[in-house]
Amino acid sequence: ALREIERANLGPLVKQAGYSGCFAARLVTAGGSVSRHAWGAAFDIGFGSNPTGRESVQDPRVVEVFRRWGFTSGDDWLVPDAGHFEFIAPPEG
């Protein structure tokens, strides 16, 4: 996915400074299920611009690339988490 983003000249939209991590051994909520971050299957990018609960300002082209590669974005969740991406399925095609 990141190679495709780079080839599409979208790399500047995925700034290293906005990377908020992948592995984090934690629960989704206190007493809840294990976070996908705990399995290394989720990461956050652009979180400073896309805090949980706010409408997404994530570039839709970046979101689409990650979706093609088997990731879901939290941008359209009931409680938006647009900086969050997690692996859910093998890449398309």
Side-chain angles (χ1 to χ4, degrees), residues 63-85:
V63 174
E64 182 54 34
V65 169
F66 280 115
R67 284 192 174 141
R68 276 197 303 278
W69 284 91
F71 292 85
T72 188
S73 168
D75 65 347
D76 57 2
W77 292 356
L78 181 59
V79 176
D81 191 359
H84 178 86
F85 292 85

Side-chain angles (χ1 to χ4, degrees), residues 6-93:
E6 187 71 22
R7 283 192 305 267
N9 295 317
L10 300 174
L13 299 173
V14 183
K15 298 178 176 79
Q16 187 174 7
Y19 175 71
S20 299
C22 180
F23 174 76
R26 66 179 186 228
L27 300 176
V28 174
T29 58
S33 60
V34 176
S35 167
R36 289 205 179 239
H37 287 280
W39 305 108
F43 60 92
D44 296 323
I45 58 172
F47 191 77
S49 302
N50 289 288
T52 302
R54 301 251 175 98
E55 188 174 334
S56 176
V57 297
Q58 200 75 263
D59 189 292
R61 298 170 296 174
V62 170
V63 174
E64 182 54 34
V65 169
F66 280 115
R67 284 192 174 141
R68 276 197 303 278
W69 284 91
F71 292 85
T72 188
S73 168
D75 65 347
D76 57 2
W77 292 356
L78 181 59
V79 176
D81 191 359
H84 178 86
F85 292 85
E86 61 184 58
F87 184 76
I88 58 168
E92 294 177 6

